[in-house]
Amino acid sequence: MSAGGYHHGKIIRKYRERRGLTQQELAERWPRSRGGAGVDWRYVQAIEYGKKRIADPGTLRRLCELLEIPPWEFGLSSYDPFNPQAALPSKNYLFEETLAVAEALLRQTLAMRRLAPLPEIEQQVQRLGRFLETCRSELPPPLRQERRLQILAIQYQSLVGLMHYEHRRYDRARGTFQEMLTAARQVRDPVLTAHALQKLGVELKRIGRFTEAISALEEARDLSLKISKPLAAFTSAYLSQMYAIAGDALRFERTIEQAIALAEPLKGAYGNGSDFVFHKLSGIFLLRSRGYLYTNQPQKVLERYEELRRQISLDRNLWLDYRLHLYRAQALLRLREVEACIEEARAFLQAVAGWQSPHRLTKGSELLSEIERAGYGDLAIVRAFRQELQEHLQQARNETPQ
């Protein structure tokens, strides 16, 4: 064979030298086609000079493992179709880097929920979905079973469920979170199991299955306390809402204060994505305000308003602005301060405009119904708010893709 042109020996020499091995050291480890290892160093020299060639693809694959050579350098796939049960190379750099990019996209998308309109987030979710679908259809079976890819797919289910929630497709959100829980338990991932339980608990509460909701969130909290302070703070905050809805003010306050006590010492580390928690301290403060409404303590909502507003600003948690005004409006209504309530209701509409989230805008309709049930529907300021709300709803319908 000619020593000129391309041959496998050039690749072997490059990676041998990169590993700091001599030809003798490589020869001692050289994989033999019939098993075992070891050849004369002159054989390695002949291979590297192109005087001999390697005919056995199995030997080439074992050299890939030995010298950390990407299989494509030998014109091979990471997947061996002639030995489908064989383990893939331990150093599959392209696959690992691709997964790292996909994981970064997922984290970025979760973080974007605090800042970006819904359509922008949905574009990211769709992009991630296309990547996972390509993995399912194009990757060889061993790679489809890689744990990192399975974990990414479970996290993607969380995003899909959140998109259903934003569009008020609550049944589909609940079904997606149930699938997420099943998958997380199958791969025995406690962090994702706790996240799935938290999200499922919230959706069970929405359809009035409070006992099951509390059970799911208590399980999430108990699991989180064993593995992660950020996750324990997050799940405890949502569990406190279940106690508040049940009218148990004492357990609500104990649980929400526990969540704050867990989160505050973490400072910026709470909500930075550790254990997939992107929920900021302002989110816990907001849940505390909502709990005060459930337990009929509207004055406490007003007392905590400035603290909550400052924390939202510190966290740059912009999407919470609408709830800040919503809860203040509800508290003022319960204190019969109707004019101030409507002023906050208008601030709510300004805060929710531009996010293009049907779920968020619907909260305005719920607030209006609450105002009307309180007997203030015929007031001029309420009629004006009703008209303004209808205009926002119509604009949202016009912006929604058909």
Side-chain angles (χ1 to χ4, degrees):
M1 176 181 289
S2 169
Y6 170 83
H7 54 81
H8 291 152
K10 290 184 176 182
I11 303 301
I12 292 169
R13 179 178 179 178
K14 179 176 75 171
Y15 282 91
R16 172 181 64 77
E17 292 177 345
R18 185 175 293 180
R19 293 288 306 278
L21 297 175
T22 65
Q23 288 181 337
Q24 178 63 47
E25 288 169 331
L26 176 56
E28 292 170 0
R29 306 180 195 180
W30 190 275
R32 301 175 68 90
S33 59
R34 295 183 180 179
V39 294
D40 188 277
W41 71 271
R42 285 181 287 268
Y43 175 75
V44 175
Q45 184 181 70
I47 291 290
E48 291 187 355
Y49 287 169
K51 295 178 180 179
K52 290 185 179 291
R53 60 187 294 272
I54 301 171
D56 178 30
T59 300
L60 289 174
R61 289 187 180 278
R62 287 191 290 277
L63 284 169
C64 287
E65 283 285 308
L66 178 63
L67 298 176
E68 297 185 3
I69 302 172
W72 63 264
E73 292 259 30
F74 289 147
L76 299 171
S77 165
S78 296
Y79 173 60
D80 183 357
F82 301 105
N83 189 11
Q85 301 306 315
L88 292 168
S90 59
K91 296 292 183 182
N92 194 328
Y93 295 107
L94 180 61
F95 180 65
E96 291 174 1
E97 287 301 311
T98 302
L99 276 186
V101 171
E103 289 165 350
L105 174 62
L106 183 137
R107 288 176 175 274
Q108 179 191 63
T109 304
L110 286 167
M112 279 177 61
R113 291 191 71 228
R114 297 196 300 268
L115 304 168
L118 181 60
E120 292 183 23
I121 299 169
E122 287 183 306
Q123 287 179 3
Q124 300 282 75
V125 176
Q126 291 165 5
R127 185 173 293 114
L128 187 60
R130 289 194 295 270
F131 167 76
L132 289 170
E133 183 57 38
T134 300
C135 288
R136 282 189 287 268
S137 62
E138 300 295 333
L139 286 179
L143 279 184
R144 292 181 212 165
Q145 301 305 313
E146 280 289 312
R147 183 173 176 83
R148 280 181 71 186
L149 183 58
Q150 291 179 319
I151 296 299
L152 184 64
I154 296 170
Q155 294 167 322
Y156 169 71
Q157 286 180 301
S158 176
L159 282 173
V160 170
L162 289 171
M163 294 305 97
H164 287 320
Y165 156 85
E166 292 283 10
H167 283 290
R168 303 178 62 218
R169 300 188 292 257
Y170 302 127
D171 287 346
R172 294 177 67 181
R174 188 171 66 256
T176 300
F177 294 141
Q178 182 62 66
E179 292 172 4
M180 178 185 174
L181 176 59
T182 300
R185 282 177 166 160
Q186 285 176 345
V187 300
R188 298 181 181 180
D189 188 290
V191 169
L192 291 181
T193 297
H195 275 287
L197 285 165
Q198 179 269 328
K199 290 172 175 58
L200 183 59
V202 171
E203 293 306 316
L204 288 169
K205 179 268 294 183
R206 197 184 307 282
I207 58 174
R209 291 161 61 176
F210 298 115
T211 300
E212 294 172 73
I214 289 175
S215 178
L217 280 157
E218 285 181 337
E219 184 180 351
R221 185 270 317 273
D222 294 346
L223 182 58
S224 301
L225 285 169
K226 299 174 185 176
I227 57 175
S228 165
K229 285 186 178 180
L231 191 54
F234 175 61
T235 54
S236 295
Y238 276 92
L239 175 59
S240 76
Q241 303 302 287
M242 301 303 116
Y243 294 145
I245 292 170
D248 192 336
L250 180 60
R251 292 181 78 183
F252 154 67
E253 298 218 28
R254 284 178 177 172
T255 307
I256 196 66
E257 290 306 322
Q258 179 188 39
I260 293 170
L262 286 165
E264 276 189 325
L266 300 175
K267 301 186 184 300
Y270 179 72
N272 68 352
S274 298
D275 295 319
F276 311 111
V277 176
F278 292 88
H279 187 257
K280 293 290 189 177
L281 183 60
S282 50
I284 297 181
F285 285 175
L286 189 86
L287 290 171
R288 179 174 60 185
S289 289
R290 186 164 69 178
Y292 288 147
L293 290 171
Y294 284 135
T295 55
N296 198 27
Q297 301 179 79
Q299 191 61 46
K300 287 189 175 182
V301 177
L302 303 183
E303 291 169 0
R304 298 286 191 176
Y305 175 81
E306 285 300 325
E307 178 187 32
L308 175 55
R309 185 184 62 78
R310 285 194 301 270
Q311 194 63 46
I312 287 175
S313 178
L314 284 172
D315 292 340
R316 296 185 69 241
N317 210 353
L318 303 183
W319 80 285
L320 292 187
D321 279 351
Y322 84 100
R323 287 191 180 271
L324 174 72
H325 297 296
L326 177 65
Y327 295 162
R328 183 173 166 84
Q330 290 174 311
L332 289 166
L333 176 63
R334 295 181 191 189
L335 293 170
R336 300 181 184 277
E337 298 182 27
V338 183
E339 290 186 6
C341 166
I342 295 300
E343 183 179 343
E344 285 296 322
R346 289 201 172 102
F348 157 82
L349 283 181
Q350 292 302 314
V352 83
W355 290 90
Q356 300 182 49
S357 166
H359 170 82
R360 300 177 198 186
L361 192 52
T362 296
K363 295 298 177 182
S365 300
E366 294 174 4
L367 175 60
L368 177 61
S369 297
E370 191 174 343
I371 294 169
E372 291 171 340
R373 287 195 301 272
Y376 301 113
D378 291 333
L379 294 180
I381 54 174
V382 176
R383 292 200 301 270
F385 172 68
R386 183 185 298 112
Q387 179 61 35
E388 191 175 345
L389 175 62
Q390 289 173 349
E391 290 172 0
H392 276 77
L393 290 168
Q394 183 58 52
Q395 181 179 353
R397 283 191 286 268
N398 293 340
E399 291 174 347
T400 302
Q402 300 299 315

